[in-house]
């Protein structure tokens, strides 16, 4: 074997080794990226479900707040009406007791 054949064999072996190392590295990078993408898609799915749940809860809370506001308005109206009736009754009672004093 002459030196050129030996050098060619070493060069081919080095080229094959480098190619195998590069292919393994690219495969590892691709697998890592795929796993990362899978994790991200799962996180996005969970976040989407969480947002949907929170939106439903917010909608229910807004409905309940509106119901409570309506109930509060009705109670306020009833309280004011009761106050007016008591005030009118008190006025009528004062007037009638004043009339009794005059007679």
């Amino acid at each position: 074997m002459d030196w050129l054949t030996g050098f060619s064999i070493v060069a081919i072996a080095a080229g094959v080794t480098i190619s195998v190392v590069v292919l393994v590295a690219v495969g590892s990078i691709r697998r890592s990226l795929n796993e990362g993408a899978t994790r991200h898609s799962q996180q996005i799915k969970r976040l989407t479900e969480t947002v949907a749940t929170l939106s439903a809860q917010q909608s229910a809370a807004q409905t309940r707040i509106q119901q409570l506001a309506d109930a509060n308005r009705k109670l306020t109206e009833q309280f004011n009406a009761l106050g007016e009736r008591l005030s009118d009754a008190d006025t009528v009672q004062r007037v009638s007791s004043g009339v009794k004093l005059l007679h």
Side-chain angles (χ1 to χ4, degrees), residues 6-23:
F7 181 74
S8 296
I9 292 172
V10 169
I12 291 172
V16 168
T17 303
I18 290 172
S19 296
V20 167
V21 168
V22 168
L23 288 174

Side-chain angles (χ1 to χ4, degrees), residues 2-102:
D2 62 356
W3 67 273
L4 186 59
T5 305
F7 181 74
S8 296
I9 292 172
V10 169
I12 291 172
V16 168
T17 303
I18 290 172
S19 296
V20 167
V21 168
V22 168
L23 288 174
V24 168
V26 167
S28 175
I29 291 170
R30 177 179 279 167
R31 186 178 34 140
S32 295
L33 289 174
N34 286 341
E35 289 172 357
T38 301
R39 278 193 309 270
H40 285 300
S41 68
Q42 289 171 349
Q43 288 175 343
I44 289 170
K45 183 179 178 182
R46 282 193 305 264
L47 287 173
T48 302
E49 291 169 355
T50 302
V51 167
T53 301
L54 290 174
S55 294
Q57 289 175 350
Q58 180 185 13
S59 177
Q62 287 176 336
T63 301
R64 183 65 180 143
I65 288 169
Q66 185 61 43
Q67 290 171 346
L68 290 172
D70 291 343
N72 186 39
R73 181 184 46 79
K74 289 176 184 176
L75 285 173
T76 301
E77 290 172 357
Q78 291 174 354
F79 180 74
N80 289 337
L82 181 60
E84 289 176 9
R85 279 186 272 162
L86 288 174
S87 175
D88 291 344
D90 189 34
T91 303
V92 168
Q93 189 178 17
R94 283 188 197 154
V95 169
S96 59
S97 62
V99 171
K100 290 179 185 176
L101 289 176
L102 293 175

